[in-house]
Amino acid sequence: MATFNLPPPNPISAPHHHHPHTLPLNRRSLLFLSATLPLLTPLTTSASAAPPPPDTTVTDRVFLDFSICPSYFLNRTLGESDLSLCAQPEPLGRVVLGLYGNVVPITVANFKSMCTGSCGSTYKGTLVQKLLPGQFFVAGRQGRRDKGDVKPPVGLIRNTETVDSKAFLLEHSRPGVVSLCLSENDDDDDLKLSPDYHNVEFLITTGPGPCPQLDSNNIVFGSVLEGLDVVRAIASIPTYIPGERIRQYNDLAEFLGDGRAKSARAIWNRPLKTLYISDCGVIKVAKPTLSPSLP
């Protein structure tokens, strides 16, 4: 019988089936997975539970009119009058502020009360007592009305937001940020120790850059909506800046316990013109809220 020698099969032409590579799950792999999965779970949970950013929707609007009274320094006190009755005021302009009532409702409510005068006191007719060029200006210091200070208010809500960490989240990141003065407050210690004391001193950043040194130390509660040109005009007013020798003498006097050192510092960075709030109030609009805009 004839025999035929068949050629061996061609390995190239042989059908080849691709199978996905799988890793065998042995005992060691299972132990590794059981040890690492609990570590990954808290990271995912904490990322999803991140707190939302503060709601900086503008809920209220107020205005502050600023003027210069050239005749104030002729008489160091105003008697029964105040700066709102300045005979020949030089208007600088109006600043409109948008307030963040959803972030710090108590601070906003108290500020509105000071603008309307419903709390027995008002910012109207009071001085801008401090101006740091390129940073911010401060108004609302309490004290003697005939010296241009704010009369201590009596009808305000006790502000518990000053001890709430959530009230300090917003930053002084640009010109026109409005905040309640805490670290920059210069009210007399006698007033601060009173059980009826309410802090109403506020600052407005003037730019051109941010003021990070104010962050986490003062409560941002609004921003300038209109009148940033007025803020810049205020920032250009010259101030009293003591020389180095005066600063050294003041430091020595404070070290020796001389109470006059603090009184002397009260005039540092004071505008050399009598800058004051000639009028203020709440602006009533049909739609007071504006979309959020972080400062």
Side-chain angles (χ1 to χ4, degrees):
M1 177 180 287
T3 60
F4 298 94
N5 294 326
L6 295 175
N10 189 352
I12 298 178
S13 61
H16 183 69
H17 299 282
H18 294 279
H19 299 281
H21 295 286
T22 58
L23 294 175
L25 289 177
N26 53 27
R27 182 181 179 86
R28 180 177 296 179
S29 301
L30 291 174
L31 289 174
F32 175 77
L33 288 174
S34 63
T36 55
L37 285 176
L39 295 176
L40 297 175
T41 304
L43 295 177
T44 306
T45 304
S46 61
S48 61
D55 180 6
T56 55
T57 301
V58 172
T59 58
D60 305 274
R61 305 183 197 187
V62 300
F63 72 89
L64 300 173
D65 290 343
F66 292 92
S67 300
I68 292 174
C69 184
S71 60
Y72 169 69
F73 286 111
L74 297 178
N75 297 309
R76 298 300 301 182
T77 60
L78 298 166
E80 296 298 323
S81 180
D82 60 39
L83 283 165
S84 62
L85 300 178
C86 178
Q88 296 176 327
E90 299 175 2
L92 285 181
R94 170 167 293 189
V95 175
V96 177
L97 307 177
L99 309 182
Y100 306 149
N102 293 335
V103 180
V104 280
I106 299 177
T107 302
V108 166
N110 285 348
F111 187 78
K112 288 171 56 183
S113 296
M114 287 295 299
C115 289
T116 61
S118 61
C119 60
S121 183
T122 180
Y123 293 125
K124 182 177 179 179
T126 62
L127 289 170
V128 173
Q129 73 268 14
K130 187 186 297 182
L131 170 59
L132 278 73
Q135 299 183 57
F136 57 91
F137 68 84
V138 180
R141 182 182 188 274
Q142 297 181 44
R144 291 176 53 179
R145 186 70 176 177
D146 62 351
K147 286 282 191 179
D149 295 333
V150 168
K151 175 185 176 183
V154 294
L156 294 180
I157 306 170
R158 179 65 58 188
N159 196 344
T160 56
E161 292 165 350
T162 58
V163 294
D164 184 356
S165 60
K166 296 179 181 178
F168 295 85
L169 297 178
L170 296 178
E171 298 178 345
H172 302 75
S173 56
R174 60 181 174 86
V177 174
V178 188
S179 64
L180 181 70
C181 288
L182 297 178
S183 66
E184 304 302 319
N185 183 284
D186 61 355
D187 288 336
D188 291 337
D189 292 338
D190 292 342
L191 284 171
K192 294 179 181 178
L193 293 175
S194 170
D196 299 324
Y197 173 72
H198 298 278
N199 180 15
V200 295
E201 195 168 293
F202 69 95
L203 64 85
I204 299 179
T205 57
T206 60
C211 294
Q213 75 277 15
L214 300 176
D215 296 342
S216 303
N217 297 312
N218 304 275
I219 299 178
V220 174
F221 64 91
S223 60
V224 174
L225 300 179
E226 302 174 24
L228 201 56
D229 57 327
V230 179
V231 173
R232 287 192 289 265
I234 292 173
S236 67
I237 295 176
T239 60
Y240 171 70
I241 301 176
E244 184 61 29
R245 179 167 295 183
I246 293 178
R247 291 178 180 273
Q248 292 175 354
Y249 283 140
N250 188 274
D251 291 342
L252 177 60
E254 185 177 30
F255 176 77
L256 296 175
D258 191 337
R260 292 174 295 179
K262 183 177 180 180
S263 299
R265 287 197 302 272
I267 65 172
W268 295 6
N269 300 304
R270 176 173 291 183
L272 295 180
K273 295 182 179 181
T274 308
L275 174 65
Y276 72 105
I277 300 172
S278 51
D279 199 4
C280 54
V282 173
I283 299 177
K284 295 182 178 181
V285 293
K287 187 179 180 181
T289 58
L290 292 175
S291 58
S293 175
L294 285 175

